[in-house]
Amino acid sequence: MRAEATATAATVRSVFAERFGRPPEGIWAAPGRVNLIGEHTDYNDGFVLPLAVDRHVTVAAARRAGDRLRMVSLQQGEEELRLADVRPGTVRGWAAYAAGAVWSLAQEGAPVGGLDLVLTSDVPVGSGLSSSAAVECATLLAARDLYGGPEDPVRLALIAQRAENDVVGVPCGIMDQTASMACTAGHVLLLDCRSLAAEQVPFAPERAGLALLVIDTRVSHALADGAYAERRGACGHAAQVLGVPALRDATEDALEAARDRLGETRYRRARHVIRENDRVLAVVELLRGGRLDRVGPVLNASHASLRDDYEVSAPELDTAVDAAVHAGALGARMTGAGFGGCALALVPADAAGAVADAVTAAFAARGFRMPVVFRVHPSAGAGRLA
Ligand code: GLA
């Protein structure tokens, strides 16, 4: 175990013993993710290319008699409820992610009962690094190991996604939970969101003298929730007009031919999705060919498309991307749903400090809240620590 993971495991173990008067039966961790490329493609049956980051939700857990869930978060406080009372819409706040995951496992027919849980997280909340998927996946793995259930990580990702869709009420796609469950260290995960075929593609920026930086803008714009559902809707309509099951199946020629029937907004939404799928496959080819140094322009094109065609960027994200590229990043883009959250930048390792400084200076010049810039390493997916 990494030194940090060992320390975190010791913390949740001792809080668990103090709070519940007995040791936990085990400790589990699930990572947050950044998406290298493939944004707003997952719910269009397309391709995504996320990596797990070295930031985790860690859970100490033990079974208890009856069906109570007692949940302690070191950051968010305590919640207690009965599993029988967890239903779509009944649980609010952070507890919905944990309780939802246990509920969703029970929906599979697993003989799930009560649980005591202590959670801690160093995934920044609300920043687009999928802290919620990490809570779901860590809790789900704990419940699965203690009560039984499916082994396959992709199957588990679907169970975690159902928690978010049905209990939390967010209509997310399958990317975040699959990344948290199925990524491996030193790789990005190429996920075909239609077949759910997952392939590990080697990704080692440090071997190419590069570093992957995450720029957390620390803003989240109020539009985010409604706009996500609205974009999903627009894509569904566009697919209908084009006569295809999903935008995954559409071509640019068909899109051009249908431009008038689609209307300008749906046309541009669909154009983003079609081109973004191509960009994912282009990046995979470059990675397979050992040409990580050529990925930058594809990241930049993805950002421009999300900003101009899909319209899910934000001034802070555009500022982060522009400043990073001007300061020497090979490429940069917003990552995640958008409207705030994080951008990523692929930079020469020896320029990492200069890029971080340039981004910070650009934010100061515009009067934005100070961003947090940190380096991430492609890390392992969810697992049991002890
Ligand atoms: C959020 C959702 C994902 C995906 C991204 C956009 O992270 O949870 O399913 O749609 O936005 O790519």
Side-chain angles (χ1 to χ4, degrees), residues 59-70:
V59 177
R63 286 166 289 185
R64 51 177 282 112
D67 87 332
R68 280 196 174 275
L69 302 179
R70 296 195 295 182

Side-chain angles (χ1 to χ4, degrees), residues 1 4-16 27 58:
M1 233 193 281
E4 268 172 46
T6 310
T8 308
T11 304
V12 287
R13 182 187 295 285
S14 84
V15 172
F16 190 103
I27 296 171
T58 306

Side-chain angles (χ1 to χ4, degrees), residues 29-192:
R33 63 100 188 90
V34 293
N35 187 19
L36 185 61
I37 197 161
E39 220 64 82
H40 291 280
T41 46
D42 62 350
Y43 53 81
N44 289 298
D45 277 5
F47 302 100
V48 293
L49 201 62
L51 56 133
V53 295
D54 39 337
R55 303 266 178 145
H56 298 86
V57 168
T58 306
V59 177
R63 286 166 289 185
R64 51 177 282 112
D67 87 332
R68 280 196 174 275
L69 302 179
R70 296 195 295 182
M71 301 173 283
V72 177
S73 156
L74 299 193
Q75 288 77 33
Q76 318 258 8
E78 292 199 28
E79 295 283 343
E80 182 171 340
L81 44 84
R82 290 185 52 220
L83 192 48
D85 293 335
V86 180
R87 275 187 306 280
T90 56
V91 195
R92 305 246 164 268
W94 69 273
Y97 302 100
V102 182
W103 169 87
S104 188
L105 181 62
Q107 297 299 298
E108 293 292 291
V112 183
L115 283 167
D116 288 336
L117 300 163
V118 172
L119 294 89
T120 189
S121 175
D122 66 353
V123 188
V125 172
S127 66
L129 296 183
S130 295
S131 59
S132 52
V135 172
E136 290 152 6
C137 291
T139 310
L140 176 60
L141 269 199
R144 192 283 312 270
D145 281 358
L146 295 174
Y147 282 111
E151 293 288 328
D152 174 41
V154 175
R155 178 83 215 124
L156 288 165
L158 285 163
I159 297 172
Q161 182 199 20
R162 179 171 52 200
E164 180 127 2
N165 290 167
D166 292 359
V167 176
V168 182
V170 172
C172 66
I174 190 59
M175 168 169 68
D176 306 341
Q177 291 79 8
T178 311
S180 186
M181 281 292 182
C183 280
T184 59
H187 295 86
V188 283
L189 183 79
L190 171 60
L191 181 68
D192 176 333

Side-chain angles (χ1 to χ4, degrees), residues 153-386:
V154 175
R155 178 83 215 124
L156 288 165
L158 285 163
I159 297 172
Q161 182 199 20
R162 179 171 52 200
E164 180 127 2
N165 290 167
D166 292 359
V167 176
V168 182
V170 172
C172 66
I174 190 59
M175 168 169 68
D176 306 341
Q177 291 79 8
T178 311
S180 186
M181 281 292 182
C183 280
T184 59
H187 295 86
V188 283
L189 183 79
L190 171 60
L191 181 68
D192 176 333
C193 298
R194 169 169 282 161
S195 67
L196 297 185
E199 194 186 331
Q200 308 288 343
V201 181
F203 178 69
E206 65 288 348
R207 260 192 249 141
L210 301 174
L212 189 62
L213 296 184
V214 167
I215 302 155
D216 183 356
T217 64
R218 297 168 72 220
V219 294
S220 90
H221 291 283
L223 274 78
D225 289 353
Y228 186 87
E230 187 276 327
R231 295 300 185 283
R232 267 196 95 140
C235 289
H237 283 140
Q240 262 176 19
V241 172
L242 292 166
V244 290
L247 286 180
R248 149 77 171 274
D249 306 298
T251 62
E252 277 211 51
D253 287 348
L255 182 71
E256 291 306 326
R259 187 164 186 164
D260 289 346
R261 278 185 295 136
L262 281 166
E264 193 57 21
T265 301
R266 273 190 302 219
Y267 165 80
R268 284 192 290 118
R269 304 295 188 250
R271 183 166 67 180
H272 164 73
V273 174
I274 294 168
R275 292 185 174 172
E276 184 78 352
N277 276 324
D278 289 345
R279 283 188 284 266
V280 174
L281 300 178
V283 168
V284 168
E285 278 318 299
L286 288 170
L287 293 181
R288 285 194 180 122
R291 298 317 309 255
L292 186 50
D293 58 327
R294 299 232 183 125
V295 161
V298 194
L299 301 181
N300 295 338
S302 170
H303 184 77
S305 174
L306 287 157
R307 182 190 62 211
D308 302 336
D309 272 356
Y310 217 66
E311 296 182 281
V312 291
S313 190
E316 295 85 354
L317 289 166
D318 296 339
T319 299
V321 165
D322 291 347
V325 171
H326 279 119
L330 277 61
R333 58 181 289 276
M334 54 156 277
T335 182
F339 300 105
C342 290
L344 59 79
L346 187 64
V347 304
D350 55 13
V355 168
D357 290 348
V359 170
T360 305
F363 270 54
R366 298 217 167 178
F368 295 155
R369 207 169 162 199
M370 279 300 93
V372 180
V373 185
F374 52 95
R375 189 170 172 171
V376 292
H377 301 274
S379 301
R384 187 170 189 158
L385 300 182

